Amino acid sequence: MAWQPERRPLQELTGYLKDALSGHDQNAQRYATMMLGQAKSSPETANYLAYILSDGPLLRELGLDPSDNILIRSSAAINLKNTIKAYGKAYPESDQAYVRSLVLAALQDSTSPIRNFAGSVISEIVQRGGVLSWPELLPELLALAGNDAGNVSPEAQEGAMSALAKICEDNKQSLDRDYNGQRPLAIIIPKLLDITSSPNPKVRSFALASINAFLPQTSPVVTSSLDAILARLFHLANDPSGSVRRNVCRSFTHFVDVRPDKVRPYMGGLVDFFVLQQRNTDDPDLALDAAEFWLCVGENRQLCPSLGPFLDRIVPVLLGSMVYEEEDIIRLEGEAEDADQEDRAEDLKPQFAATKNPRLATNGHVGTNGEASQGPQPDQIDDDLSEGEIEESDDGSSGNVEDRWNLRKCSAAALDVLASNFHEPVFTITLPYLNENLRHPDWPIREAAVLAVGAVADGCMDAVTPHLPDLVPYLLSFLDDREPTIRLITCWALGRYSSWAAHLQNPSDRQRYFEPMMEGILNKMLDKSKKVQEAAASAFANLEEKATKGLTPYCGPIIRQFVQCFSRYKDRNMFILYDCVQTLAEHVGPALAQQQLIDTLMPAIIQRWSKVSDRSQEIFPLLECLSYVATALGDAFAPFAVGVFSRCIRIIHQCLEEYVMCLNNEALDKPSKDFLVTSLDLLSALIQALDPAKASELVQKSQPRFFDLLLFCLEDPNNDVRQSSYALLGDCAVNIFGQLQPFLPAVIPVLIQQLDLDNMKDQDIESGFSVINNACWSCGEIALKEKAGMEPYVEQIYRHLIGILSNPEVPTSVNENAVIALGRLGVDCSPSLAPHLGEFAKSFLQIIGPVEYTDEKAHALVGFNRTVERNPAAMEDCLLDYFKASAAYARHSNSEFNTDLAESFQRRTVCGRSGRSYPYLYLLRTCIECPGISENARLGRLLELDMVEKLERSEPPVIAKTGCSSFSAVASINEASDEQRASHRLPENFTSTAVAAIKTQAALDATAQSEKESGRVTTAAGCCDVR
């Protein structure tokens, strides 16, 4: 017998569904949400929800108000989707057939929101169970949408096609898989192309949107259908429906990304089409989709040049689209000066550590009059929300006009891209527009002209530069415009030209242009409008990036202005102010360490520091700002270090405690890892900045113990936390190793585990490599300080490092840190590494070659050389790379570690396996002793002393002591041109003969080892034991 609902449970459930979406009574809403959550455990709940969604007969008997009926059924659809999501593949088979039949029936409902919700539920069923779990679904939906029977209602066609569109969007990969030799997509694409001929515009639009879902994929099915799709697009380009033409615009944009060659021959016609669509003032969404085509083509190197002949038609359309819409103008003109008003809670965006992705939160729906609304309309409900959860309106009514992506912003971005590709021609077309509109009496037109000035800055700088002596003073006058929006856009535009002003060489020009620009933007940081303050602060941060150390003479007035901003800014703008401070600290560096500047800036920062709570989102940018300030001040930051250090320790301890509590209680919210990341980064900055003795004292007095907390962080599951933790570990090894050393027995095993690539999750591969990069670096720093104490760990560390070096997917930077760590390990642990030399020598030399010459590289080369001395025979396959490394060292020998490295490269002999010392090559060390010697002179000296002939005559090649620096000479000769070889009479087989000599010596070495084992030790003629 088929399942049937009971009246009482049905009535209770409808009441909960209604209360869950009601804004009248929050207590009732919370209770309803709780009851709906509990109802999920009942196996019949899904059946009841499907019954309500389909408006079953018993539901109609309850006598619901029509508006309540739609709201309750919509709520039922949301809860049904979430119930199916919670069940996953464990959804009972017996219930599935019943639910499926009712949901399919709901697709034919007369109400559009119900049809849409039913489509979402169907898509969820397919997503959870798989395409094959409901094999009859796709044919049935395609038949309904295509009106194959000839009697399908328009509503049913729309409902079926809407559901298909959702399925295609949510299941792109699974629909393109091979199932017993068939791909669902091979059936879907041709049918969708047919459906785009439907007389119903909504069905046509959904069908084309479904095709668009697959265009970005490199599927063989899609690729084989591209010509048919393109032909259909050209037909639909004249469709009377704006929604259809929007999807046509999106389709062509996809073609630009995946197959630009397909659209290049039609560029002239496409320009006509997209220009026409962008000029459609009645449909701003269509105009926006058209504008995005120019942006996409401009970013495509293959296709962008084809726009060149049409710039005179495209650029004017973009310029005309950069004016605010009428509705926005009215809203902007109604804004009052608000610098003294406190920020509203909704004005404060969520803040995250710099490496985090933004996350959005949803809030209760509030009416525009400030009172609770009467509840959302069904078509406003997001079916991805949880029970009882209402999405905040996304129409921009409560947001900032400048924050939305719209036609104006897209057009400006497209103009920027075209200017970057075509340069002067774009400015030539733009200039008449600027001359006409920069002085326009209507501020929206004037604002759009300033926007255009800024948009062409990067791409047309050479063409604009002759006009800047007149343009910049004119723009500066706009900073006093009565309209805040003009002042805002002017700050942005000036920031775009700050590079020109910052690099003026003539002192009088800097005084005339750079200083007024800097002063003007600084002054606007205290504008009476908060949004102008924000724009000015952002522009000044841009100027700081361009001027860098050129701002050093102006630090005094800049700091004084920043301090005023600290006293007047509200919470939202404080974030960009932190960015200004840290950017200045980053670029002027130690110039900030003047006592007068410290006495001016630091009290303002510390006052704000004391005001912000440990759990405030403002702590993230504040901690990051202090990291840069501490680095710039160096040991001058010491008076503030104790409080800052203690607070970071406290924040880390709190986060770790909360995390442990969450592991034991799933009901608790997990703490944000951003608190850990920013605190760890600031501790790193402090340890680097302070005198080691002062930093050591801070660590020593830390409660809880500093390294106990760090050890927990090193094992945190979050990659960002571990990345910062290993950076801090390396800084401790460099600066306060005495404090770290007692904890190494606990730290090094954790470090070794982190170096294992097998522990990295595939979904976190990018951030995972960043962690391993820092772990390799910290390993090298510890090895350098711990010296022979690393011996017990060498074998394990080596195995993981060679695993990194042998993996082709590892980024270059990780490989470089891995070879430096390996080389540093060899400085004092070469006996343990020497047996493995043949396995890593070649990759070591190839990876370390391009690395910049620093102390780290010098350390690594010394360790490598010491390893080579203990197992020279392992170098047979990579001698030339070794010679090149020696020759390159001679040209870049400025490291303070130079003496040890020089000695290791210039050893007169190399210790053989017999334990005695044998020289390997007979070449004059004078060939490289002079770093400035020319290549020809190097070869000439070689010939002057007749070394080549001696090397050729020796049989076997017995080599007298001369010095391992001869490696460089061999590398130099190998790289010499044919002409150089001829002019210096070098034998063609010179290098091969040298290598043969080395091989012969290796054989002698092996013989000596054998003789030693048998009790007889002989010495090769001409060899000596002097090192």
Side-chain angles (χ1 to χ4, degrees):
M1 180 177 176
W3 180 88
Q4 293 293 326
E6 297 181 9
R7 185 182 184 92
R8 182 177 176 182
L10 182 69
Q11 193 165 13
E12 289 180 353
L13 187 58
T14 56
Y16 295 145
L17 291 170
K18 179 181 177 181
D19 289 344
L21 295 182
S22 173
H24 293 290
D25 188 339
Q26 290 187 353
N27 291 329
Q29 186 181 50
R30 282 193 292 268
Y31 180 74
T33 301
M34 181 187 68
M35 295 304 296
L36 289 172
Q38 293 178 0
K40 283 184 180 181
S41 60
S42 171
E44 292 189 326
T45 298
N47 291 352
Y48 273 103
L49 293 172
Y51 186 87
I52 294 171
L53 170 62
S54 65
D55 199 19
L58 191 57
L59 182 69
R60 291 194 291 270
E61 292 179 9
L62 296 180
L64 299 175
D65 182 86
S67 61
D68 286 344
N69 176 278
I70 301 299
L71 185 65
I72 289 170
R73 293 170 64 195
S74 301
S75 180
I78 296 173
N79 282 270
L80 177 57
K81 178 179 177 179
N82 289 329
T83 299
I84 294 169
K85 184 183 297 186
Y87 273 127
K89 293 186 177 181
Y91 189 42
E93 186 69 30
S94 58
D95 295 334
Q96 288 187 33
Y98 180 81
V99 170
R100 289 172 181 173
S101 63
L102 293 185
V103 173
L104 275 175
L107 283 179
Q108 304 182 46
D109 196 272
S110 60
T111 307
S112 176
I114 297 300
R115 296 197 299 270
N116 290 335
F117 281 122
S120 296
V121 173
I122 290 173
S123 179
E124 187 65 36
I125 293 173
V126 174
Q127 201 168 5
R128 297 298 158 185
V131 174
L132 298 182
S133 67
W134 196 351
E136 65 275 10
L137 173 66
L138 291 177
E140 186 168 351
L141 291 179
L142 288 169
L144 286 172
N147 192 17
D148 290 358
N151 59 356
V152 181
S153 68
E155 291 81 8
Q157 293 178 46
E158 289 179 21
M161 194 59 247
S162 173
L164 264 173
K166 290 182 173 68
I167 292 171
C168 291
E169 178 63 34
D170 295 339
N171 301 274
K172 292 188 284 287
Q173 301 295 331
S174 59
L175 290 173
D176 193 30
R177 291 194 186 118
D178 189 297
Y179 300 96
N180 299 322
Q182 291 187 335
R183 293 176 183 268
L185 194 57
I187 301 172
I188 293 173
I189 292 292
K191 188 62 178 176
L192 289 176
L193 284 171
D194 291 340
I195 296 174
T196 58
S197 300
S198 169
N200 188 322
K202 289 186 178 180
V203 173
R204 294 197 303 274
S205 181
F206 278 131
L208 188 52
S210 301
I211 293 173
N212 284 342
F214 300 105
L215 278 179
Q217 298 179 209
T218 57
S219 163
V221 174
V222 175
T223 302
S224 64
S225 305
L226 287 179
D227 290 334
I229 295 172
L230 195 61
R232 194 72 197 133
L233 289 178
F234 284 123
H235 177 78
L236 293 172
N238 297 315
D239 197 284
S241 167
S243 177
V244 173
R245 297 200 306 279
R246 282 188 66 187
N247 280 300
V248 170
C249 291
R250 293 173 182 177
S251 297
F252 279 121
T253 301
H254 286 315
F255 264 92
V256 171
D257 284 331
V258 297
R259 286 297 299 273
D261 58 300
K262 291 286 186 181
V263 297
R264 184 184 291 109
Y266 309 103
M267 189 54 69
L270 289 173
V271 168
D272 291 337
F273 170 74
F274 280 98
V275 165
L276 182 63
Q277 304 314 307
Q278 190 167 345
R279 284 177 171 162
N280 191 327
T281 56
D282 296 333
D283 191 343
D285 291 331
L286 172 60
L288 174 58
D289 281 313
E292 287 181 340
F293 176 78
W294 312 122
L295 187 58
C296 187
V297 175
E299 293 173 344
N300 188 293
R301 293 185 177 182
Q302 298 180 42
L303 204 56
C304 185
S306 62
L307 292 182
F310 310 106
L311 289 176
D312 58 342
R313 295 164 59 191
I314 300 170
V315 171
V317 173
L318 294 175
L319 293 170
S321 301
M322 288 162 59
V323 182
Y324 276 111
E325 296 177 16
E326 190 64 34
E327 180 181 347
D328 291 333
I329 293 173
I330 294 172
R331 188 179 304 166
L332 289 168
E333 288 179 335
E335 291 182 349
E337 295 176 346
D338 59 353
D340 295 328
Q341 298 177 13
E342 295 297 329
D343 292 326
R344 300 172 302 172
E346 56 266 34
D347 292 333
L348 301 177
K349 299 178 182 179
Q351 296 293 314
F352 307 99
T355 57
K356 305 295 180 183
N357 292 322
R359 290 162 285 178
L360 301 176
T362 53
N363 300 314
H365 183 88
V366 179
T368 55
N369 60 356
E371 300 174 354
S373 72
Q374 300 303 306
Q377 296 304 309
D379 58 353
Q380 294 176 328
I381 304 174
D382 185 346
D383 52 294
D384 283 330
L385 300 176
S386 301
E387 299 90 0
E389 187 176 16
I390 311 300
E391 184 183 45
E392 187 178 15
S393 175
D394 193 33
D395 61 1
S397 58
S398 62
N400 196 332
V401 175
E402 286 80 15
D403 291 342
R404 297 201 316 267
W405 179 251
N406 51 28
L407 176 61
R408 171 179 174 273
K409 282 191 172 182
C410 183
S411 298
L415 181 62
D416 186 355
V417 170
L418 292 179
S420 298
N421 282 282
F422 296 101
H423 312 296
E424 187 172 0
V426 172
F427 182 70
T428 300
I429 300 170
T430 306
L431 185 57
Y433 171 87
L434 298 179
N435 289 333
E436 179 182 354
N437 293 302
L438 279 173
R439 293 176 172 81
H440 200 282
D442 294 337
W443 75 260
I445 306 296
R446 203 162 64 248
E447 193 274 346
V450 178
L451 176 59
V453 170
V456 301
D458 286 351
C460 300
M461 183 61 73
D462 291 341
V464 180
T465 296
H467 303 271
L468 289 179
D470 296 324
L471 181 59
V472 167
Y474 191 71
L475 287 176
L476 288 172
S477 69
F478 283 179
L479 292 176
D480 296 321
D481 195 282
R482 61 185 297 272
E483 288 294 336
T485 308
I486 293 288
R487 302 198 298 272
L488 181 154
I489 199 64
T490 301
C491 288
W492 172 79
L494 287 170
R496 300 271 284 180
Y497 288 98
S498 59
S499 178
W500 168 79
H503 291 93
L504 292 171
Q505 299 300 316
N506 190 308
S508 62
D509 288 341
R510 290 180 62 84
Q511 186 177 8
R512 185 177 178 183
Y513 301 111
F514 174 71
E515 292 181 4
M517 179 185 289
M518 179 183 65
E519 183 180 0
I521 297 174
L522 268 176
N523 288 338
K524 289 299 105 180
M525 288 179 67
L526 289 173
D527 194 90
K528 295 180 180 180
S529 165
K530 285 193 284 192
K531 68 179 185 180
V532 177
Q533 291 176 357
E534 182 180 12
S538 179
F540 195 79
N542 194 13
L543 183 144
E544 289 173 322
E545 292 278 359
K546 301 299 188 299
T548 62
K549 293 188 181 299
L551 288 179
T552 300
Y554 310 102
C555 283
I558 292 172
I559 293 298
R560 288 193 291 273
Q561 189 76 344
F562 286 173
V563 169
Q564 290 192 57
C565 293
F566 270 112
S567 65
R568 294 178 56 180
Y569 274 12
K570 306 307 177 184
D571 293 342
R572 176 187 170 101
N573 284 349
M574 199 63 69
F575 300 134
I576 187 64
L577 179 58
Y578 293 141
D579 186 52
C580 287
V581 174
Q582 76 180 47
T583 306
L584 181 69
E586 177 184 7
H587 290 292
V588 302
L592 277 188
Q594 301 176 40
Q595 194 59 48
Q596 183 178 0
L597 297 178
I598 296 172
D599 293 342
T600 304
L601 175 64
M602 288 309 300
I605 296 180
I606 295 302
Q607 183 178 7
R608 188 70 188 182
W609 165 266
S610 62
K611 179 181 178 181
V612 178
S613 74
D614 289 352
R615 313 312 294 167
S616 169
Q617 291 185 344
E618 188 181 335
I619 201 72
F620 304 145
L622 177 52
L623 290 171
E624 186 179 4
C625 174
L626 277 171
S627 297
Y628 282 90
V629 172
T631 301
L633 297 187
D635 198 51
F637 193 82
F640 317 98
V642 174
V644 172
F645 190 93
S646 299
R647 187 173 186 181
C648 288
I649 293 295
R650 183 174 75 233
I651 292 173
I652 293 172
H653 186 217
Q654 289 174 350
C655 288
L656 293 176
E657 280 189 330
E658 291 174 9
Y659 177 69
V660 172
M661 291 172 62
C662 289
L663 293 179
N664 299 322
N665 187 349
E666 294 182 358
L668 296 177
D669 292 333
K670 292 183 178 180
S672 170
K673 298 293 185 179
D674 295 350
F675 291 103
L676 283 176
V677 172
T678 49
S679 297
L680 290 165
D681 290 344
L682 180 48
L683 289 177
S684 282
L686 289 174
I687 287 174
Q688 292 178 76
L690 298 178
D691 178 83
K694 296 176 182 176
S696 296
E697 184 178 0
L698 290 175
V699 169
Q700 193 172 13
K701 293 181 177 179
S702 169
Q703 288 298 329
R705 293 196 307 178
F706 176 89
F707 286 108
D708 288 341
L709 296 179
L710 180 56
L711 192 58
F712 273 106
C713 295
L714 291 174
E715 297 184 275
D716 194 278
N718 182 276
N719 282 350
D720 292 331
V721 174
R722 295 202 312 282
Q723 180 181 345
S724 295
S725 299
Y726 280 102
L728 177 55
L729 177 64
D731 288 327
C732 291
V734 173
N735 298 282
I736 53 168
F737 184 74
Q739 298 298 318
L740 169 62
Q741 193 171 28
F743 295 88
L744 287 181
V747 168
I748 292 181
V750 176
L751 171 60
I752 291 172
Q753 186 178 12
Q754 182 61 69
L755 294 174
D756 188 351
L757 289 178
D758 291 338
N759 293 328
M760 188 167 60
K761 298 178 181 178
D762 291 340
Q763 63 268 30
D764 299 329
I765 190 165
E766 184 175 348
S767 58
F769 277 131
S770 297
V771 180
I772 292 178
N773 187 77
N774 284 2
C776 288
W777 173 73
S778 61
C779 179
E781 296 294 347
I782 291 172
L784 192 68
K785 294 293 181 69
E786 182 64 356
K787 300 183 183 301
M790 296 294 289
E791 282 284 358
Y793 312 104
V794 170
E795 189 65 28
Q796 287 179 281
I797 293 175
Y798 169 74
R799 284 300 160 199
H800 292 324
L801 291 179
I802 196 64
I804 293 171
L805 299 180
S806 59
N807 190 320
E809 296 182 5
V810 173
T812 301
S813 61
V814 180
N815 276 328
E816 290 173 351
N817 271 316
V819 296
I820 288 175
L822 191 58
R824 287 179 150 183
L825 204 59
V827 172
D828 294 288
C829 301
S830 56
S832 298
L833 279 182
H836 305 293
L837 182 60
E839 187 178 10
F840 73 84
K842 191 172 185 66
S843 58
F844 179 97
L845 291 167
Q846 290 175 345
I847 292 170
I848 204 168
V851 176
E852 182 182 353
Y853 281 80
T854 60
D855 284 354
E856 287 81 0
K857 181 172 182 176
H859 300 160
L861 287 173
V862 168
F864 183 76
N865 285 347
R866 292 182 182 177
T867 306
V868 169
E869 291 175 19
R870 294 186 177 275
N871 187 8
M875 297 296 293
E876 180 176 345
D877 294 334
C878 54
L879 281 172
L880 184 58
D881 292 317
Y882 193 31
F883 298 160
K884 288 180 178 179
S886 176
Y889 157 74
R891 294 192 296 269
H892 301 87
S893 53
N894 296 320
S895 167
E896 65 181 36
F897 207 72
N898 178 52
T899 302
D900 287 347
L901 181 55
E903 289 179 359
S904 70
F905 265 130
Q906 296 175 2
R907 294 254 193 247
R908 295 184 175 180
T909 58
V910 181
C911 184
R913 284 173 295 183
S914 65
R916 296 181 64 82
S917 299
Y918 299 105
Y920 264 176
L921 293 175
Y922 185 36
L923 295 170
L924 286 178
R925 64 187 306 173
T926 53
C927 295
I928 69 158
E929 280 182 344
C930 189
I933 193 170
S934 69
E935 202 72 21
N936 285 344
R938 191 190 312 270
L939 300 177
R941 287 192 179 184
L942 199 67
L943 292 171
E944 286 173 11
L945 294 171
D946 207 24
M947 297 317 305
V948 175
E949 286 76 7
K950 289 182 180 179
L951 186 61
E952 291 289 329
R953 288 197 302 268
S954 58
E955 189 62 45
V958 180
I959 306 169
K961 64 166 188 175
T962 51
C964 238
S965 57
S966 54
F967 288 177
S968 302
V970 175
S972 301
I973 294 169
N974 186 69
E975 294 174 338
S977 65
D978 292 339
E979 291 79 6
Q980 287 175 320
R981 291 177 182 274
S983 62
H984 292 286
R985 308 184 309 282
L986 293 178
E988 291 183 1
N989 64 339
F990 175 80
T991 303
S992 62
T993 303
V995 174
I998 293 173
K999 290 183 177 179
T1000 302
Q1001 183 60 54
L1004 291 174
D1005 188 34
T1007 301
Q1009 173 68 12
S1010 175
E1011 291 174 345
K1012 180 180 179 180
E1013 293 172 354
S1014 64
R1016 295 180 297 107
V1017 180
T1018 59
T1019 306
C1023 291
C1024 71
D1025 295 333
V1026 180
R1027 276 187 163 272

